[in-house]
Amino acid sequence: MPSQFAARMDAMKPSSIRELLKMTERPDVISFAGGLPAPELFPVDDIRVAAERVFAECGARTFQYGISEGVATLRELIVAEMVSRAVACTADDVLITTGSQQGLDLLGKIFLDPGDIILTETPTYLAAIQAFQCFQANFQPVATDEQGIVPEAVDELAAKGKVRFLYVIPNFQNPTGRTLSIERRRQLVEIAQHRNFVIVEDDPYSRLRYRGEHLPPIKSFDDSGCVVYLSTLSKTVAPGFRTGWVVASQAIRDKLVIVKQAADLHTSSFDQLVLARYLSDFDNRKHVARICAAYGERYTVMDEALKQHLPADYIWTHPEGGMFLWVTGPQTLDTMTILASAIERGVAFVPGADFFPGGGGHNNMRLNFSNANPDSIRTGIERLAAICRVAV
Ligand SMILES: Cc1ncc(COP(=O)(O)O)c(C=O)c1O
């Protein structure tokens, strides 16, 4: 019988672990699975004051339709943020999106026809795979090492056939926590310019650096408009605002605005106005420093617990920021099959396979360390290690 759904839905399979991960909502399960920030660190009091000021200043206007590009005051504040990240731009270069997740969807809409080739790190962000799968993209996973994606491997693939874009998460990558070296950032721009493709730089985590120096974005090396830069206020303020942004060339932005109008007309006016007030009136830098101190401590607790409890043939990454680390077990380990018993025992993680569009990752798992407190992290890792010890 012919399907009642569009052909693109054939590639969109439900996640095999979603049902299992629903169980992580049980209070007895310590979850390292989600990508959740710590809610106790949301600046709730400051946001409340900002919201009150918006009501007093704007009244009913707070709830009026707005322009698709986004609220002007917020875009000005994003410009200042971009300048602090070594990217010069103006408010006209900024498009506010409903989270950076919407940015990914809109980029898929404007760039991808069925079968178009996109290059990604190996492994890469699960929800980006889902966003681009919707447009029937042909994923070409690229070799990736401790320094991030390997530029020579990008060049080799791009020489073989037309690439629409390269999708890359340069800082504290999701899922591995790895950071792309500065030299490679420069090289990627040169390759993109030479081979004539776009780089989609997805950068939600750069401000969550606990150790070491901030690195300039790939976008900062771009003098031709080949890099589209995405970021978000989800990790530095709160994800419930669903507010992110894109900085791109005018040609790309013009197309993005057209598809954004079709998608949602604009991002919530209320959310944007409150965020603009919050960012103007309160010291978000200080707030981010508090988040970094807490997450940095949680990372150290997890790293030490892993050292203490995991079998000797397990290794993991040592990110200098962000929210995740990436564990690699022995070849015989299948993290998908141990997930059910881990949840049974009161601990959850995301199995590695979900992050590999081309297959692989059976012996990997992603652990989030931002959402559980240090005591829970110690207990959770002890539980996980007990499962790992009997798994192989
Ligand atoms: C790499 C990456 N890109 C995009 C997003 C989506 O962020 P937002 O909340 O801004 O939609 C996330 C969220 O975890 C992420 O890890």
Side-chain angles (χ1 to χ4, degrees), residues 16-91:
S16 51
I17 56 162
R18 190 180 298 154
E19 287 307 309
L20 270 180
L21 289 179
K22 271 190 196 156
M23 316 249 282
T24 62
E25 288 177 8
R26 276 184 1 215
D28 59 314
V29 176
I30 296 170
S31 180
F32 303 133
L36 305 184
E40 66 276 18
L41 293 172
F42 294 157
V44 175
D45 291 337
D46 293 350
I47 291 169
R48 182 182 303 117
V49 173
E52 281 161 4
R53 289 180 187 164
V54 168
F55 284 130
E57 277 163 21
C58 307
R61 250 190 328 117
T62 312
F63 299 106
Q64 189 51 284
Y65 282 116
I67 59 168
S68 304
E69 287 81 351
V71 164
T73 47
L74 182 61
R75 288 157 72 209
E76 288 295 348
L77 288 155
I78 298 299
V79 168
E81 178 60 31
M82 290 305 297
V83 170
S84 81
R85 297 184 189 186
V87 176
C89 64
T90 70

Side-chain angles (χ1 to χ4, degrees), residues 111-128:
F111 282 124
L112 296 177
D113 287 318
D116 277 351
I117 293 175
I118 57 175
L119 307 182
T120 67
E121 289 153 293
T122 317
T124 189
Y125 171 49
L126 171 60

Side-chain angles (χ1 to χ4, degrees), residues 310-342:
L310 271 191
D313 49 355
Y314 281 66
I315 55 170
W316 56 94
T317 54
H318 298 91
E320 296 189 324
M323 305 191 341
F324 306 106
L325 59 78
W326 181 246
V327 178
T328 305
Q331 273 302 326
T332 46
L333 177 72
D334 185 347
T335 51
M336 200 70 102
T337 60
I338 64 167
L339 180 61
S341 30

Side-chain angles (χ1 to χ4, degrees), residues 99-101 125 167 169 174 202 204-205 232 234-235 242:
S100 27
Q101 192 62 35
Y125 171 49
Y167 171 70
I169 306 154
N174 184 355
D202 187 8
Y205 299 111
T232 178
S234 287
K235 318 295 174 182
R242 309 304 308 124

Side-chain angles (χ1 to χ4, degrees), residues 93 123 125 147 161 167 170 180 185 198 225 230 260 264 294 305 328 363:
D93 301 320
Y125 171 49
Q147 306 282 303
Y167 171 70
L180 185 67
R185 292 173 192 228
V198 167
L230 292 87
K260 176 148 175 82
D264 65 355
T328 305
N363 59 335

Side-chain angles (χ1 to χ4, degrees), residues 15 20 45 74 77 105 108 134 140 151 159-160 170 233 247 263 267 294 301 325 353 366 376 379 385:
S15 161
L20 270 180
D45 291 337
L74 182 61
L77 288 155
D105 177 57
C134 218
Q140 302 263 313
K160 281 192 193 147
L233 293 164
V247 174
T267 296
V301 169
L325 59 78
R366 188 192 74 178
S376 305
T379 310

